[in-house]
Amino acid sequence: MTDADPTAREGAAQTMQDVASSLGVSVSTVSLALRGNPVVSEATRARVQAEALRLGYVYNRSAANLRTKRRHLVGFVVPDVANPFVAESALGLQAAMSEGSQFVVLANTHEDLAVQTGIIRELAEERAAGLVLIPAIGTGPDELDALRATQMPAVIMNRHLPGDRFPYVGADDEAVVDIACDHLFGVHASRTVAYFGGIDDAVPHVLRRARFSSNVRAAGLVEAMEWGVPTRPNSDSAYEVASRLIAEGTRPPEAVVCHSDMIAIGVLKALNDAGIPPAECRVVGIDGIRLASMTTPGLTTVSVHAPSLGRLAGELLLHGTGDDETVRSLVPQLVVRESCGCRT
Amino acid sequence: MTDADPTAREGAAQTMQDVASSLGVSVSTVSLALRGNPVVSEATRARVQAEALRLGYVYNRSAANLRTKRRHLVGFVVPDVANPFVAESALGLQAAMSEGSQFVVLANTHEDLAVQTGIIRELAEERAAGLVLIPAIGTGPDELDALRATQMPAVIMNRHLPGDRFPYVGADDEAVVDIACDHLFGVHASRTVAYFGGIDDAVPHVLRRARFSSNVRAAGLVEAMEWGVPTRPNSDSAYEVASRLIAEGTRPPEAVVCHSDMIAIGVLKALNDAGIPPAECRVVGIDGIRLASMTTPGLTTVSVHAPSLGRLAGELLLHGTGDDETVRSLVPQLVVRESCGCRT
DNA sequence: CTGAAAGCGCTTACAG
DNA sequence: CTGAAAGCGCTTACAG
């Protein structure tokens, strides 16, 4: 492809200086030409570009950035990349950033605060343009202070921390719960209901549970408290907890809304194992990950559009709104499949 | 946390120069002290460190790297991060890199060659320490030449390109197929069998199909060619193809090995829709993603240990073996669940 | 339209 | 044990 001069090549990386002297012009000219600055003549630009190509020159963006103090990478700091919701968000974030020709650096905290702190420090040393953070469980004022101290723009995602003063991107928790409840309580007229899974005192969990309970009261239904239990944010934990409940003889409620699709997938598996059909226990997930269409029964879910959330976070980071504390979210959408008892 | 002097702080980012003058020492001393070089006295080191902390100084790694010509980030260039296999590999890669205090930059090609080429060029401009590439469909000699021209160390993953001369990390395709066949042909004594899904002329697909066919012949079985069809590398495509086959009345073979777990998930869904149990059509996946335990029936699969593959790729990149063309892979492992008809 | 020079924030011989 | 100076590869006023 690049038809590089092998003799010029072996001397390792070429610099602007190299192409300048090879052409008998100054580095300024090369720099200007390569950037396409109209101040250099078309003819010169062409010569410079040809020579750069011939020498196999490749622009050193880091050097340029050191000079201009521009940054070119953002971090996506998450508890678990292999969580589909996170991966789908990463997709959106990455798309947004690549439009600003920024890179997104992926970092896993594994829900470990020390790891998270270390990663944030490293991003600061890297002079990242900012970061999107899904806080590890237990993230509190100390961690947030440390983050603020780095002076990097940051947006918090998915797990809203009370009073953190950082821009936040996440689902509209109450709308999400309302949509799930409307379908389950209204369309399906379930009587005993529960909100299943999620991390115990994480804000979204608290918010959603509270909303759920108030919806239940408003509808005059009964909340199956034994099934209103927290789990870790993955299918395995959900499966384990739900299976145990069933094995212990705790009768599943007529309807359960799950804190996430991954949790719902675990619940569905437990229900399938026990031979309990949607008609007996209707389940609705939250998130709308791609996988939700592949379960049996198909998972009815309230989609919050993970890729869009990621994209939103990226845009917030790049173009920054003046004020902190902004909550942005898309309007959630019910995706009906079979797990709620529709279409069976 | 960092108890930074607010007056010092407002003048934006602090530099070594700032802490040096604040202390009345030279930048060399600061640099040496901060790096923990034993040549500077313990007392000085302590003073420097305290002052750096007080000023809220944060090390500028990029500047350092420009000087030392050391690189500190690697790219993971993939068709689709949201594919669980890829995400799990990313986990392993990230773990390996963070041990070398390197960052991994995630980049999605969406199977688009032009995007892939652009990303690789950007990584080169970034002076990445290297990259791990899952080649987009259609990647050929031109793309590989361009990659080579960047002079970055690269390791190819999952989709082996013939004669590319790059180190390769991926499953041992033949062993994987043998394991699946042994179980299906031996333990379950299936008679009509098929290899389902995967990208048509991608190397792993070709290799695995060939191995599958020769195993079939060796066992004197009959290959159900109508079910030996390619798909795109995701559940939706697999579901669509399998559903169509069933709808058209093409009787499923007694056993099918799927090119990946995601494809198997699609097949399982199609089979479930049609009410065809494992006893009638046994399916085995390949990959061993976490999700495989959550399907109904549970997916029997040949695990290739995605995180380890990612880690291996990272190590290969970092410590580089002298010779190209190295194929490294872990020994695949059969994980038995219900989709093959065991434990039902 | 082009060139010489300073500077981004570090590291690293080299003196002292 | 510490300091002065050069240099990594760029960009950007400032002259000419």
Side-chain angles (χ1 to χ4, degrees), chain B residues 166-186:
Chain B
F166 282 103
Y168 172 78
V169 166
D172 177 339
D173 292 300
E174 311 201 318
V176 160
V177 171
D178 289 350
I179 291 172
C181 289
D182 282 356
H183 188 70
L184 253 15
F185 303 175

Side-chain angles (χ1 to χ4, degrees), chain B residues 3 8 85 112 198 207 224 226 229 236 242-243 278 282 286 290 292 316:
Chain B
D3 198 11
F85 180 83
D112 183 317
L207 265 176
E226 328 80 64
V229 291
D236 292 306
S243 294
R282 309 172 187 277
I286 295 174
R290 303 193 307 203
L316 216 53

Side-chain angles (χ1 to χ4, degrees), chain B residues 16 31 57 59 67:
Chain B
M16 283 190 176
S31 176
Y57 166 75
Y59 184 58
R67 181 61 231 250

Side-chain angles (χ1 to χ4, degrees), chain A residues 23 33-34 40-53:
Chain A
L23 235 37
L34 255 26
V40 2
S41 70
E42 178 55 32
T44 309
R45 201 181 55 66
R47 284 176 58 225
V48 168
Q49 257 161 358
E51 188 64 8
L53 197 64

